Structures are given as structure tokens and as C-alpha cells.
Amino acid sequence: MNLESIKSGILAFLVVVSMVLTLSIWNFSNYEEINEATTKQISINGKDAELNEVILPSQMVFHQQNQSYQLKNRTDQFSFYQDIQDWNVSLSNQAANAQDPGASYVEMIYPAEIPLNLLPNLMQFSEENRNASFPDWSFNRLVLIPNHDSDSITLSFRSTQHEQTFNAEVQNPESYTALVNYTQSEDALSELVAYELNDRVIYLPENETVLSKQTYTTSSIAVGPLINNLFPVTSYVRETSGGRYIDGSRMLEEYQVFPNQKYMRFVNPKNEEKAQVGAGFSREELISEANLFINNHDGWTQDYMLTNAEINSEHSTVTFDMLFNGYPVVSKLGHIEQRWINRELNTYIRPLMRLSTPLGSETVTLRSGEDIIYLLEEAEGPLTVPKKTIEDIQMVYTMSSEEEGYSSDIITLEPAWFMKSNGRWMPVPENGDMLNVQGGSRS
């Protein structure tokens, strides 16, 4: 072998090594890009939630001998509801008219229409009923009727809008006894007054209610993981001004409520241009998909409840409101909303803050339900809100920023009476502010 042959062999070997190294670099570079895409931070460090944790009744009414009551401690309502979710439910007597519940029963009022097809996600069904089919309609009431002759319970799911009823049974003496004990526990119950307004009944506490006003520190939720969730190619995203992020079509914008507390609104206008009638979700799909979407980024940063699930021909809207001490919070900082078009997310609104450390509390006394009714019924003159537009009246919590001189990370949650008119929640005014008189309010 001469010197030229050795040189040629070495050169060929070096060329092969170079090609192998180049290919390895390319592959490693591609792996880095793929790995970066799959390991982007998408969690906002909240939690996941099952449907039975966010589909909750807004009110639980205990009816006895033509009187109505509620549990004195609002959090006990949710504890009782959790017990109900563990009952073993059978569908043996499902086809029925709305039977007379008798003198003693419990009525659960839901703020949203709940598809019957979601019941397997909300209740424990007996093994032979787990794959049962359900009627294709939604309920907004659940009536628990104790059957004293058989130590059983009838669960009557009802739609007040369509006057439909679907019945199920709980054949368990222990569950029956627990229900009867709740309905007969005078120490745990307080009286309600039934207010008939605009073809509906609103239940209000008869007496004044003492609740706590509480102060908390807050912490911010980073917007980066939400950008990673909502924009398909994050390298295209640019911040055009303070708190506004765009990729050419989609936009995420931050809105300041208090100095250190914000919420965000994401919009994808592209799917508005191709909206198709009938191409959206059913109500069952909407609620399930909305919950799954939030779970995908651990987005439940507080306790929330489903408050609306609305379907129309071109888009679908679902809302969740924060719960505090068992009561809904009326604030942009406690509100989650999604709008879907053609089964694609069009709008996402959510808080960019969470409650952190409780600092202190004091008690607040709210007016009685009798006072609220008197205010609406006895006003001498036109009301600021036409009575015919009032849909609901509830005790809620509101959020406010601390006074000047305190840390901007501190907010206060305070209870108040609110009423819902034309789909919007607003404070129930004081007596002198309720009248709408030319030139101002009349005292």
C-alpha cells in the first residue's frame, strides 16, 4: 500500500465522520425544537376539577309544612351535596310526571341548565345503570322526596322552563335517615321567605344575616403559560403595548381592576369569519369541553361553580363564578368565561390573580329578606331598575382594594345584597337610592 492510497483512505474516513456528525447535529437540533415545544410551561399552578366539583346548586331549600328553610351555615350546604353525590342511585322509576313532593322535601336550585346526560358525572349510579341512556333535555332543579313507607328517596330532576321531570331512586335506609335528619334539624336551619316575582319564586332569608368581611393578600398569575396555551406558535407572539399580546390575528389583553390585580381577555377573531349554523357544541359537550380546557392548564385557582351554559345557532358561551364562604363572588377578578365557535375557542376571560394569605376579618350584618321585599314592593315611584326585569336576588361577595397607604397586594371580600336584571348583577340599593326621580334620588 503506497502513501497515496493511505491518504485517500484517511480522507474518505474523515468525510464519513463529518457526515455522521452533521446528521447528528441536525437531529439534535430538531429534538431540541420538539422538546422545547413539548416542555413549554402551560400550568398556572391551580388545580384540576371534576364536573361534580363545579356543577353545584346555588341554593338548597328545605320545605316543611308550607314553610321554607335553609342551612344556617352556607358551607354545610356543599357538605350535604357532597354526601348526596355518594348515594347509590337507581333508575328503576325514571318515567314519571312531577309528583307532589308532600309536606317535607328538599329543593336544589341550579343557576344553569344541566344536561341529564351529565348525571353519571355528578352522581354514583348502581352498576346496572352506569351505561344507561338519558332523555335529551336539561334540568335546573333537583327535588329530594323522602318516602317514609319504604325508607327510600326519590330524586326528581326537573326543568322549570320546559316542565319536564326525570325520576331516580335511592334505596338506602342510611341515606333516607340522613335526609330526614337534615329536614328535621331545627338548630341547623333558619327560615326563608318565598317572594313571588315575575312568575318565579325567590327564596330570601327572613331575618338579618351575619357574614364575615375578610381581607386577603393576593398573588399574580403569570401570563406566559396562558400565552403558551392560547397561541399555536408562540414565537410569532409580540407584546405591542403594555399587557397586549398579538400574533397577527389572535390577541390577549390584560385589564387592570386594582393596582396589582388584573384579569385577561383572549380573542381569536379568525373563527368568527367562518361561523357555521349548527356546527357548534351541544350543551353537554360545551360544559365538558370548557372544564377540560381549564383543567389542561390547571386553571382552577379558587373554588368555582358553573353559572351559565348557553347555546345558540352560531356560538356557545359558558361561565363560572368564584365561590367564597359558599357564596358567589361578583367581580371581574372572580369570573371565568369562554365563548366557542365551530367547536373552537373564540374568547377566554379569566382572573390573573389568586387569593393568598388571610389577614383579618370582621362581621357584617345584611338586611333581612323582608326588608328587601318591602323595598321593592312599597317604593312610591318608579324604581331605578324596572321590577319586571329582575330575575334573581342573592347575597354575594364583592371585591374592593384596600385604602390608600396599604399594600396594593391586599383586597377585601365583603358580602352584599345583589339583584340580577336583564342578565346583569347589580347592588340592591339602599332605600333612598331605589327611586328614580327626575333631578336625582328621593329620600
Side-chain angles (χ1 to χ4, degrees):
M1 182 179 292
N2 57 32
L3 183 59
E4 290 300 322
S5 298
I6 294 173
K7 288 181 178 180
S8 297
I10 293 173
L11 182 59
F13 173 75
L14 292 174
V15 169
V16 171
V17 169
S18 176
M19 291 176 63
V20 170
L21 288 174
T22 300
L23 183 61
S24 297
I25 291 171
W26 286 347
N27 287 339
F28 182 76
S29 178
N30 289 336
Y31 171 78
E32 285 261 289
E33 292 176 6
I34 294 171
N35 192 50
E36 180 184 359
T38 57
T39 59
K40 283 180 180 176
Q41 176 68 21
I42 62 172
S43 172
I44 60 173
N45 299 319
K47 63 180 181 179
D48 292 354
E50 300 295 332
L51 284 175
N52 62 4
E53 296 177 88
V54 294
I55 298 178
L56 303 168
S58 57
Q59 192 170 26
M60 188 179 293
V61 182
F62 293 77
H63 298 275
Q64 297 180 42
Q65 305 295 336
N66 298 320
Q67 297 291 328
S68 302
Y69 302 86
Q70 66 177 357
L71 290 167
K72 291 178 180 178
N73 189 335
R74 192 61 174 263
T75 55
D76 288 344
Q77 171 178 307
F78 295 101
S79 297
F80 180 39
Y81 190 66
Q82 287 176 342
D83 293 340
I84 294 169
Q85 291 176 325
D86 291 331
W87 290 353
N88 192 26
V89 181
S90 169
L91 301 181
S92 58
N93 185 29
Q94 54 185 286
N97 295 321
Q99 71 183 81
D100 182 357
S104 177
Y105 62 98
V106 180
E107 179 184 9
M108 299 186 185
I109 302 171
Y110 292 81
E113 296 280 331
I114 312 300
L116 284 169
N117 282 321
L118 288 179
L119 281 182
N121 300 98
L122 309 181
M123 304 280 179
Q124 297 290 332
F125 283 89
S126 55
E127 188 171 347
E128 62 270 20
N129 294 137
R130 285 175 187 165
N131 297 316
S133 58
F134 296 87
D136 189 22
W137 52 269
S138 300
F139 68 94
N140 60 359
R141 296 289 190 278
L142 169 56
V143 179
L144 307 180
I145 307 169
N147 302 311
H148 302 296
D149 57 344
S150 59
D151 288 358
S152 64
I153 303 168
T154 297
L155 278 64
S156 185
F157 299 91
R158 303 182 179 186
S159 169
T160 57
Q161 182 177 1
H162 302 291
E163 299 184 351
Q164 294 168 299
T165 300
F166 179 84
N167 283 353
E169 298 287 334
V170 174
Q171 300 284 347
N172 185 302
E174 292 182 0
S175 301
Y176 164 82
T177 301
L179 175 61
V180 171
N181 287 342
Y182 265 107
T183 60
Q184 297 178 351
S185 178
E186 294 183 5
D187 292 340
L189 299 174
S190 60
E191 194 160 352
L192 296 171
V193 56
Y195 179 35
E196 295 186 17
L197 180 67
N198 301 328
D199 297 324
R200 70 189 71 194
V201 179
I202 300 174
Y203 296 97
L204 306 173
E206 184 177 55
N207 300 313
E208 294 178 340
T209 301
V210 178
L211 295 174
S212 64
K213 171 183 175 181
Q214 296 184 249
T215 302
Y216 275 77
T217 62
T218 63
S219 58
S220 298
I221 295 172
V223 75
L226 291 160
I227 290 173
N228 292 338
N229 272 281
L230 297 167
F231 293 87
V233 184
T234 55
S235 60
Y236 294 165
V237 179
R238 297 290 181 269
E239 184 175 6
T240 59
S241 60
R244 178 180 293 176
Y245 304 86
I246 62 171
D247 68 351
S249 58
R250 302 165 188 83
M251 181 180 72
L252 186 156
E253 190 165 8
E254 299 176 347
Y255 295 87
Q256 184 172 310
V257 179
F258 304 127
N260 255 10
Q261 292 81 27
K262 301 176 182 178
Y263 72 95
M264 56 146 273
R265 184 173 187 265
F266 166 82
V267 178
N268 177 16
K270 291 188 70 175
N271 54 20
E272 295 178 8
E273 302 167 1
K274 53 183 181 180
Q276 299 177 12
V277 175
F281 288 130
S282 66
R283 183 176 276 107
E284 174 192 356
E285 293 170 327
L286 171 65
I287 295 172
S288 298
E289 188 65 27
N291 183 65
L292 178 62
F293 171 76
I294 296 173
N295 282 347
N296 283 342
H297 53 273
D298 302 322
W300 299 110
T301 49
Q302 308 286 163
D303 292 330
Y304 280 83
M305 71 181 301
L306 174 72
T307 49
N308 187 38
E310 185 177 336
I311 305 290
N312 67 31
S313 60
E314 294 187 354
H315 67 264
S316 309
T317 303
V318 61
T319 61
F320 302 89
D321 285 322
M322 177 181 160
L323 290 171
F324 185 76
N325 288 343
Y327 293 88
V329 175
V330 176
S331 170
K332 286 289 188 182
L333 298 174
H335 180 75
I336 294 176
E337 182 173 333
Q338 298 173 24
R339 185 171 184 247
W340 295 75
I341 296 178
N342 297 342
R343 298 172 176 262
E344 295 180 6
L345 184 68
N346 168 261
T347 304
Y348 183 36
I349 300 169
R350 66 156 300 118
L352 291 177
M353 58 127 273
R354 74 187 89 212
L355 301 180
S356 294
T357 306
L359 297 179
S361 65
E362 59 183 274
T363 58
V364 174
T365 301
L366 297 186
R367 289 171 285 175
S368 69
E370 295 280 11
D371 287 343
I372 300 299
I373 295 171
Y374 181 84
L375 183 67
L376 294 173
E377 294 297 322
E378 302 301 325
E380 298 178 358
L383 302 177
T384 55
V385 174
K387 194 165 65 173
K388 65 181 180 181
T389 68
I390 298 176
E391 305 164 30
D392 199 2
I393 305 170
Q394 286 191 36
M395 289 184 290
V396 305
Y397 270 87
T398 63
M399 290 187 181
S400 60
S401 180
E402 273 302 305
E403 298 176 4
E404 188 175 345
Y406 288 84
S407 168
S408 58
D409 290 327
I410 295 175
I411 64 170
T412 297
L413 291 109
E414 183 170 3
W417 275 109
F418 266 56
M419 58 186 176
K420 187 178 185 181
S421 173
N422 292 325
R424 294 180 60 250
W425 286 100
M426 61 191 69
V428 175
E430 296 297 330
N431 293 19
D433 299 327
M434 198 67 188
L435 296 177
N436 187 13
V437 180
Q438 186 174 3
S441 298
R442 187 177 70 188
S443 58

